[in-house]
Amino acid sequence: MYRHFIAPARGFTQFSHGLIRHPRLNSDAVRILTWQLSLPEGAKESLSRTAERAGIGGCAFTRAKRQLLAEGFLHERRTQVTGGRWTTQQLISNQPLNEAEAAKLMGRAPGTVIVVAASAPGPRNPAVGDPTGPLADGSPMQDRVGDTSYRPPEGEEPEAESDAPRTGEPPADDPVLGEPVADEVEPGRAAPDVRAEACALIGALPLLSPALRHIPPAMTDELTRLAAACLAAGHTSADIHAHLLRGLPRNGTPVYKPGGLVRYLLLHVPPAAPASPPPPPGPRLSARLADARECESGRHVQPMLFRPSGDEILCPSCTTTAEPQPHHDLLDA
């Protein structure tokens, strides 16, 4: 390895070998440090400007600055200047300094050989006109389309709703489950209860299947009315969810219009099964003992069940015992 060195006659800066060969400073940190120390006295160039001129990127500059701070070659402090503004002072030194030494050097009068790059906020141009506060009332004027929370102007009465169905709503006599779509309520249930249950049923559809996660919000009211009609017809939420799951495509087929599919399925829910009669009072027997009968002989310590072949009331053992025995004298004759 050959080395050739020519001492510069002017425009040079002396650095120690320990600074250039520092084991914990990467090449970007050494370049920023030597660049700053080579600036003339009184220069106000910041570290970020030096990194920009040296072609060092943002992440590399942040890493290099962190290393300089950790090794004591760089110190920063924020001070308040005239007018209540804050400025950041940066101290670069060719030897590591502790906090006390750095504070003592930054507190000196100007003229020191240490390079201090200070950045202060520039003058601000005030906006044209007097300052005004934010508006505390009113709202932006918009076209009032659909249901809004705007109240009618004073002196104007709201229009009464007509009996004709609104646009986009099914007529009152549309068949659903073989019954008209009306606000019919199950006996013993109030209309708000059915409405709340229908809202919860439609709100749980995204959790029911991933294919139902993108139902348009504008269809929520229509689907809620259809679900309420199904509930009023005697169906339960579990029955309706099971019907919707059965109607979804299989084998991973995508659903491009989930809202339309749910509306179609709600319009074609099969009729609700009639309610089964309540069981008779008394102890319930299992299916295996449905045709069994209790022996009425009174000879058993515990109830004796048997399956009769006809209308007998005694078990086979009691029937055999109750039969009359033949006389021996008749047999002998």
Side-chain angles (χ1 to χ4, degrees):
M1 175 65 68
Y2 297 92
R3 296 179 180 86
H4 179 67
F5 178 77
I6 299 177
R10 59 184 181 84
F12 64 91
T13 305
Q14 293 183 352
F15 301 106
S16 65
H17 293 169
L19 188 149
I20 300 176
R21 305 171 187 171
H22 200 285
R24 291 180 298 277
L25 296 180
N26 60 13
S27 59
D28 295 330
V30 174
R31 182 165 175 78
I32 293 175
L33 180 58
T34 55
W35 189 303
Q36 280 283 331
L37 293 176
S38 65
L39 294 177
E41 182 180 352
K44 301 298 182 181
E45 181 177 319
S46 61
L47 293 183
S48 58
R49 176 56 181 164
T50 298
E52 182 181 354
R53 292 177 59 188
I56 300 175
C59 295
F61 167 68
T62 303
R63 189 180 305 109
K65 183 178 178 182
R66 190 182 301 115
Q67 293 177 1
L68 293 175
L69 287 171
E71 297 300 326
F73 292 98
L74 171 63
H75 292 270
E76 288 184 334
R77 74 171 181 178
R78 289 179 57 81
T79 58
Q80 193 170 14
V81 296
T82 306
R85 297 177 298 178
W86 290 85
T87 180
T88 302
Q89 294 181 345
Q90 296 174 334
L91 170 63
I92 284 288
S93 61
N94 60 347
Q95 294 292 333
L97 302 175
N98 55 33
E99 296 293 338
E101 294 173 341
K104 184 177 180 181
L105 289 174
M106 283 191 287
R108 289 183 178 179
T112 178
V113 295
I114 302 298
V115 178
V116 179
S119 58
R124 299 174 57 186
N125 296 326
V128 179
D130 298 331
T132 58
L135 297 178
D137 58 349
S139 59
M141 298 301 298
Q142 299 177 355
D143 295 335
R144 300 178 181 178
V145 180
D147 296 335
T148 63
S149 59
Y150 298 107
R151 294 185 177 181
E154 297 182 1
E156 180 180 343
E157 296 295 334
E159 298 181 359
E161 295 185 359
S162 61
D163 296 335
R166 293 180 294 180
T167 303
E169 294 185 5
D173 56 350
D174 279 356
V176 178
L177 315 175
E179 300 291 339
V181 181
D183 293 335
E184 298 179 358
V185 181
E186 203 175 315
R189 299 183 62 186
D193 297 338
V194 176
R195 178 72 179 182
E197 185 176 354
C199 291
L201 188 150
I202 299 301
L205 293 183
L207 304 177
L208 192 65
S209 172
L212 304 179
R213 292 179 180 175
H214 302 288
I215 297 178
M219 299 186 64
T220 302
D221 292 340
E222 180 182 2
L223 298 180
T224 302
R225 288 193 297 271
L226 295 177
C230 296
L231 294 173
H235 293 275
T236 63
S237 298
D239 297 338
I240 299 175
H241 281 170
H243 172 70
L244 295 178
L245 287 177
R246 287 192 298 267
L248 294 179
R250 306 298 179 182
N251 302 326
T253 304
V255 179
Y256 297 103
K257 295 183 178 181
L261 176 61
V262 173
R263 176 174 55 192
Y264 174 82
L265 294 176
L266 290 177
L267 286 171
H268 295 81
V269 176
S276 58
R284 298 179 57 186
L285 299 178
S286 62
R288 295 187 302 106
L289 303 177
D291 300 332
R293 179 182 296 178
E294 183 179 353
C295 179
E296 299 181 5
S297 63
R299 301 176 181 178
H300 305 283
V301 179
Q302 295 181 351
M304 178 61 181
L305 298 179
F306 69 100
R307 185 170 283 103
S309 57
D311 57 351
E312 59 267 22
I313 61 175
L314 300 180
C315 65
S317 60
C318 294
T319 303
T320 304
T321 306
E323 291 180 357
Q325 298 296 331
H327 297 283
H328 295 285
D329 52 355
L330 296 178
L331 292 177
D332 296 338

